[in-house]
Amino acid sequence: MPTVRVSVMRCDPNQFAEFRQMMAESLDVLAPGIRQMRGLIHFYSGEDEASHALAQVSLWRTPEDAKQLDTFQPMLDLGKVFTSKGARFERPIMNYVSSWEIVPNH
C-alpha cells in the first residue's frame, strides 16, 4: 500500500490568485527532479479557493520515498519564496501510510 504525502499552504484571500499562478509556474521547476525520485507513484497539485489553500498530494511506495521531498532543494527554495510573500504552510507535512483503498469497478 502506498504512502500518501499531503502538504497544505494557506494564504490571505487577496493573495490567492498570485499564489495560484506561482504554484502553476512551479511545475517546470519541480517536475524534472520529482519525476526521477525513487518510489514516486503520482503527484498532484490542487487548489481550494473557498479556503484560500493550495495543496500537493503525492503517492509514494514507502514513507522513506515520500520523505525525499523534505530535502529536495528546488522545493525548499520555492517554499522560501512563498513564505516571503506571506504564505503559511501547515507543519508538519504529513506522510500517511495507507490502511485501505477503494478502486473503481471496471
Side-chain angles (χ1 to χ4, degrees), residues 4-5 13 18 25 27-28 31 35 40-41 46-48 56 59-60 65 69 73 76 80-81 84 91 93 96 101 106:
V4 180
R5 182 180 175 93
E18 176 185 10
E25 292 168 356
L27 175 64
D28 292 338
R35 278 191 183 110
L40 174 66
I41 299 171
E47 59 194 56
D48 180 1
Q56 293 178 333
L59 302 177
W60 301 86
D65 293 341
L69 290 176
Q73 197 61 51
L76 297 174
K80 290 176 186 174
V81 173
S84 74
R91 295 289 185 252
I93 294 173
Y96 299 96
E101 69 180 326
H106 293 310

Side-chain angles (χ1 to χ4, degrees), residues 72-86:
F72 181 48
Q73 197 61 51
M75 185 161 292
L76 297 174
D77 293 343
L78 280 171
K80 290 176 186 174
V81 173
F82 278 84
T83 55
S84 74
K85 293 180 176 275

